[in-house]
Amino acid sequence: MFFCVYIWLMFKKMLKMNHEKCVNQLYPRSKVQRFHLEPDQISWENPLKDYNPPDYTSESLFNKPWADKDSGDKSFAPRWNEKDGNVDRRSFIGYYQVVSGRPLNPIGRTGIQGRGVLGKWGPNHAADPVVTRWACTDGGDIKMDETTRKRILQFVAIQRGDTGEWALPGGMVDPGEVVSETLKREFMEEALNSLMLAESDKDDLKKKIELLFKHGDEVYRGYVDDPRNTDNSWMETVAVNFHDDIGDLTLLELKAGDDAINVRWVDINRDLKLYASHSSIIEKVVKLRDASW
């Protein structure tokens, strides 16, 4: 009973969300301008007779084995709102509508139709590891913020190659992959450059990450205000905090890999500007650890 009430409250909270980073701007990696929307025009519940957004799906998705086919393809018959083979088409938000063969973004209009650069129609599931430690002085003492009088938390941030913004080192959940494996794989690839390691070195690194990622605290599961979102495709994520309290990560060399161009430890404060809605995820970790914000 308690679980059902919790899910319902989370669902109501989601419905109150609004877009900020996926409206009224050029769509990422394109020259396609979104249809302009005022804040009160985003909800599907508010009629918008002249709404005629551009329909855009990047050619980079064509004929890719991991990407969905065009919604008009007669051979494409997905099971919406269900587990569809090894593809999970369920949304953390709950049931979403499908109109003319295309799912509708449950938060509302984005000013663009199609899939953009996202592989799946409907929810595209990701996982974001939030790896943290306490900021310390050269003498090993934990730093305290002079204003909040609380300990300063650091997290591992990567700089995205596509936008240049700093972000969490996360990524897409592969079809059939469990989230716990995605969290480890993405951190190794983006923050430790594991793709460039020899197999023996990769195995050693994997053992160390297994220990660090053995115990984590889920801080968020839901919709992401991502600039890649469209009316018919959107990002959702599971974010888990892995806190290094004993200094295991100091033995590992951070090195950007995969689609990251830089990686570093970043002091957390309320002025952080991060990709998508990653700042709100970081804020949840701060509250969990009772750190300075």
Side-chain angles (χ1 to χ4, degrees):
M1 178 64 180
F2 173 80
F3 180 73
C4 293
V5 172
Y6 173 77
I7 293 297
W8 171 242
L9 290 175
M10 289 296 293
F11 177 64
K12 288 180 70 176
K13 186 177 181 180
M14 288 289 184
L15 293 181
K16 292 180 180 178
M17 289 181 64
N18 219 347
H19 301 303
E20 290 183 9
K21 297 194 175 182
C22 60
V23 291
N24 302 335
Q25 53 190 305
L26 283 176
Y27 188 83
R29 309 177 214 170
S30 79
K31 297 181 179 179
V32 181
Q33 178 64 49
R34 295 175 184 269
F35 185 100
H36 182 80
L37 294 166
E38 297 296 334
D40 63 351
Q41 296 175 325
I42 291 177
S43 174
W44 296 110
E45 295 180 358
N46 299 331
L48 190 58
K49 293 182 179 179
D50 63 345
Y51 185 59
N52 186 29
D55 195 327
Y56 174 67
T57 296
S58 172
E59 292 184 2
S60 65
L61 302 179
F62 295 173
N63 299 317
K64 292 294 190 298
W66 45 264
D68 281 344
K69 296 181 179 180
D70 185 80
S71 59
D73 191 311
K74 293 182 179 179
S75 65
F76 183 55
R79 295 163 57 187
W80 303 118
N81 291 290
E82 296 181 38
K83 191 76 181 294
D84 185 15
N86 62 359
V87 177
D88 195 347
R89 299 192 186 276
R90 297 169 297 182
S91 170
F92 294 136
I93 299 177
Y95 181 86
Y96 54 83
Q97 290 184 306
V98 179
V99 177
S100 300
R102 292 183 173 188
L104 286 186
N105 187 313
I107 302 302
R109 302 180 180 93
T110 65
I112 191 168
Q113 304 177 71
R115 277 181 293 149
V117 295
L118 296 177
K120 306 297 182 186
W121 294 101
N124 288 254
H125 293 289
D128 290 303
V130 189
V131 176
T132 57
R133 71 180 184 184
W134 297 113
C136 292
T137 65
D138 292 339
D141 296 324
I142 296 177
K143 292 182 179 179
M144 303 291 288
D145 185 271
E146 294 180 357
T147 302
T148 64
R149 302 284 185 175
K150 290 188 174 184
R151 295 173 295 180
I152 297 174
L153 197 63
Q154 294 182 322
F155 80 105
V156 175
I158 58 102
Q159 188 176 21
R160 293 177 63 96
D162 54 354
T163 67
E165 295 174 278
W166 288 91
L168 296 171
M172 299 296 191
V173 179
D174 288 341
E177 186 178 39
V178 294
V179 170
S180 59
E181 290 302 314
T182 309
L183 291 163
K184 289 179 281 191
R185 175 176 57 77
E186 287 294 337
F187 186 77
M188 289 175 58
E189 290 177 0
E190 295 195 340
L192 301 172
N193 198 24
S194 63
L195 292 176
M196 300 303 293
L197 295 177
E199 284 303 316
S200 58
D201 293 333
K202 190 181 298 185
D203 289 339
D204 290 340
L205 178 60
K206 189 176 295 185
K207 292 176 182 177
K208 294 175 182 177
I209 294 300
E210 288 281 356
L211 290 175
L212 175 64
F213 280 37
K214 191 174 182 179
H215 302 290
D217 296 288
E218 184 176 310
V219 293
Y220 183 72
R221 177 182 293 256
Y223 181 88
V224 180
D225 182 20
D226 193 292
R228 296 170 292 181
N229 292 347
T230 72
D231 286 0
N232 313 114
S233 297
W234 60 91
M235 289 298 304
E236 298 189 11
T237 195
V238 175
V240 180
N241 177 216
F242 300 97
H243 186 67
D244 180 19
D245 235 344
I246 58 177
D248 284 344
L249 271 176
T250 59
L251 303 176
L252 298 177
E253 179 187 1
L254 296 181
K255 189 174 183 181
D258 198 16
D259 52 1
I261 58 175
N262 202 353
V263 60
R264 68 184 185 195
W265 286 100
V266 174
D267 285 359
I268 293 175
N269 61 68
R270 65 174 62 250
D271 296 323
L272 277 176
K273 304 296 182 185
L274 301 176
Y275 178 79
S277 49
H278 289 185
S279 291
S280 65
I281 293 175
I282 290 295
E283 184 177 3
K284 295 179 189 302
V285 174
V286 166
K287 292 179 179 178
L288 174 68
R289 301 293 167 192
D290 193 27
S292 178
W293 180 245

